[in-house]
Amino acid sequence: MSGKFWGGRFKEETNTLVDQFNASIGFDRRLYEQDIKGSMAHCKMLGEKGILSEEETSTILEALVEIKRELDHNELQVNEEYEDIHTLVEKTLIEKIGPLGEKLHTGRSRNDQVALDVRMYVRDCIQSVLQGIRNMQKSLVSLAEQNQDVLMPGYTHMQRAQPVLLAHHLLAYFEMLRRDRTRFQDTLGRTNVMPLGAAALSGSTFDLDREMVARELSFDAISRNSMDAVSDRDFVLDFLYSASVLMMHLSRLSEELILWSTQEFGFASISDAFCTGSSIMPQKKNPDIPELIRGKTGRVYGDLMALFTTMKGLPLCYNKDMQEDKEVLFDAADTVDACLNIMASLLKSVSFDRERMSSAIQTGFLEATDLADYLVRKGLPFRQAHEVVGKMVLFALQEKKELRDLTLAQMKTFSRQIDQDVYEWVDPSLCVKRRELPGGTGPGQVKERIKEARKELEK
Ligand code: ARG
């Protein structure tokens, strides 16, 4: 049968431009495993309900297994003659077993079929992203562990602010990734709902066992409204949003790696294996990989915006616009997987210049907050302490000195409360040790967080 499944009411041949323009087979062939699995579950259920005989059921199932094998091995011609993957599988089935194959679509529409396939596909994508997040978290924890004692400036407004541990900085990304994981798990919960049985839009005249199909395909639940089931692409948007936030996190880390490996910062170095050179400037070693991750973030945001815009004006139920959900989904899924994968490896290759990082806290008055806290301990209200230290910083700047270089007599002109014990408080290398409160950058806290993170990753 070379004609269309829907050819009955048409008098004219389809224009070849329409065939090409309308077809999704070029990209949705990637759903073949999901499509065949879904068809097998539907077929078994039709058998169970007596809509197909036992023999019919097993003949169809065997043929579907064969089609899957042929697609696995690229043995089937996939061209625009088949509108989409659903048509390809069904037509191939009919070619193989004749008119019996024409019974498979009983009680089903491509509308619920495609919703099913995409849900199964998103489910698989989420598993893969979760694995990728885990690998990246492992790399971050290892880096934090190896650099537990390295001090560095923490920044706000990109100005030196207060000393922190490098490990604390790295573990901040661990936390972001943990939230990303929960976002994807959340998405999985809403994705894992089985739409088959909605048929075109209103359900079916057949007494389909939807619960059985859900069990067969490991869905947690069945959809509760047939019109919603074939109209909804929220779960794809959830995935794209989760992917966008994840990419934003990867992009910020990338930006820091790029910055830190400049000569100006000189904090970090990405190994040669993860850098590239210039075709004209022989000395160059460029951080292309983090740059590309930063760049690809824009394209994942684009995928999200594209589908948002596609969906916003659609009346219920299925509209062909929705075929546009696939390329953005595939693009985002591929991009996120690739970025997570390479970032997890690249991180293992990063080395830090401990000396340079630690010495960067010596200038820039990163201990000024601690000095204000010292004055509070001596009885000054914080606002006054802040003012006093501000004046001391101004004085030190004019004298081209650090706070620790001022004499006690000089310091006392700013506040009579200042004593000899002040010098401990103007040593920036002691600042992190004072921050052993939960969530702070104190070495004990950070050590504890590393332990917890390790435990979490073992689960
Ligand atoms: N290729 C279509 C899509 O991806 C499948 C559903 C088509 N349904 C229809 N009634 N034309 O959205």
Side-chain angles (χ1 to χ4, degrees), residues 24 28 84 86 110-111 114 318 323 326:
S24 53
D28 70 10
D84 51 30
H86 328 293
R110 273 186 300 163
N111 297 350
V114 75
Y318 179 82
Q323 181 164 287
K326 283 166 211 65

Side-chain angles (χ1 to χ4, degrees), residues 22-24 27-28 83-86 109-111 114 233 318-320 322-326:
N22 194 41
S24 53
F27 47 87
D28 70 10
E83 213 177 299
D84 51 30
I85 187 61
H86 328 293
S109 156
R110 273 186 300 163
N111 297 350
V114 75
R233 293 294 182 274
Y318 179 82
N319 301 272
K320 193 64 176 238
M322 288 154 76
Q323 181 164 287
E324 292 290 313
D325 63 354
K326 283 166 211 65

Side-chain angles (χ1 to χ4, degrees), residues 395-402 405:
F395 176 73
L397 277 170
Q398 282 158 358
E399 298 288 304
K400 295 198 166 44
K401 284 193 165 134
E402 294 297 328
D405 300 327

Side-chain angles (χ1 to χ4, degrees), residues 269-281:
S269 155
I270 303 169
S271 83
D272 284 6
F274 286 91
C275 290
T276 61
S278 153
S279 62
I280 178 169
M281 296 169 284

Side-chain angles (χ1 to χ4, degrees), residues 148 165 168 370 377 430-449:
Q148 263 186 77
L165 286 176
H168 194 54
D370 288 44
R377 284 176 168 81
L430 298 178
C431 292
V432 300
K433 298 213 168 85
R434 296 193 186 97
R435 287 170 169 75
E436 287 292 359
L437 77 171
T441 190
Q445 277 296 318
V446 171
K447 203 170 171 182
E448 214 33 56
R449 294 287 92 73

